[in-house]
């Protein structure tokens, strides 16, 4: 049986979302799942996720001037999720960018990865 590959995607976090993703990443690695965390470098520095990390600058705002470079983030996410079986986005901004990226991503078996979104906070 092929090894399961999971990409956990999050934006800027200073609290609960980062701790949650860290717990998921650690649990997946402990279960011998090939997990990776994709998100802002500063978020990784704060939480040290315990799984391979790939920097993708997904900011707090919805406009490039507010820190979200949609085109750059989309290209990086597309590259980093290639071959994933499951992509799990945490939060609205991560989901927004990963939905754009997954348009052309294919899993190892020739189909798109399963996609999950968890909204952690109320949307405003």
């Amino acid at each position: 049986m092929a090894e399961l590959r999971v990409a956990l995607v999050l934006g800027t976090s200073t609290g609960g979302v980062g701790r949650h993703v860290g717990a998921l990443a650690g649990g997946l690695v402990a279960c011998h799942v090939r997990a990776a965390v994709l998100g802002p470098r500063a978020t990784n520095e704060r939480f040290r996720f315990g799984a391979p990390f790939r920097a993708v600058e997904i900011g707090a705002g919805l406009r490039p001037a507010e820190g979200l470079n949609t085109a750059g983030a989309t290209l990086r996410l597309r590259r980093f999720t290639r071959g994933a079986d499951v992509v799990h986005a945490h939060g609205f901004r991560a989901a927004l960018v990963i939905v754009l990226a997954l348009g052309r991503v294919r899993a190892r078996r020739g189909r798109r990865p399963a996609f999950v979104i968890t909204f952690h906070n109320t949307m405003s």
Side-chain angles (χ1 to χ4, degrees):
M1 186 161 124
E3 183 178 43
L4 183 65
R5 296 178 182 194
V6 177
L8 303 169
V9 183
L10 77 161
T12 302
S13 176
T14 59
V17 175
R19 285 191 298 275
H20 175 70
V21 170
L24 286 175
L28 289 167
V29 169
C31 291
H32 307 288
V33 171
R34 190 167 174 189
V37 178
L38 315 173
R41 191 175 322 278
T43 302
N44 183 56
E45 290 169 3
R46 176 179 284 269
F47 295 101
R48 300 289 179 200
F49 292 107
F53 178 81
R54 302 288 181 258
V56 179
E57 297 306 321
I58 301 170
L62 293 177
R63 286 173 247 153
E66 296 174 0
L68 180 60
N69 176 349
T70 305
T74 299
L75 291 174
R76 289 182 67 79
L77 286 168
R78 186 173 293 155
R79 182 171 30 142
F80 293 148
T81 55
R82 192 170 291 127
D85 297 300
V86 178
V87 176
H88 186 174
H90 294 268
F92 175 74
R93 288 166 190 86
L96 173 71
V97 179
I98 196 66
V99 162
L100 296 172
L102 287 177
R104 297 188 182 229
V105 169
R106 296 285 184 251
R108 290 177 294 158
R109 291 178 283 285
R111 62 180 187 271
R112 288 187 183 165
F115 179 52
V116 179
I117 303 171
T118 300
F119 294 113
H120 292 273
N121 301 309
T122 59
M123 305 215 358
S124 54

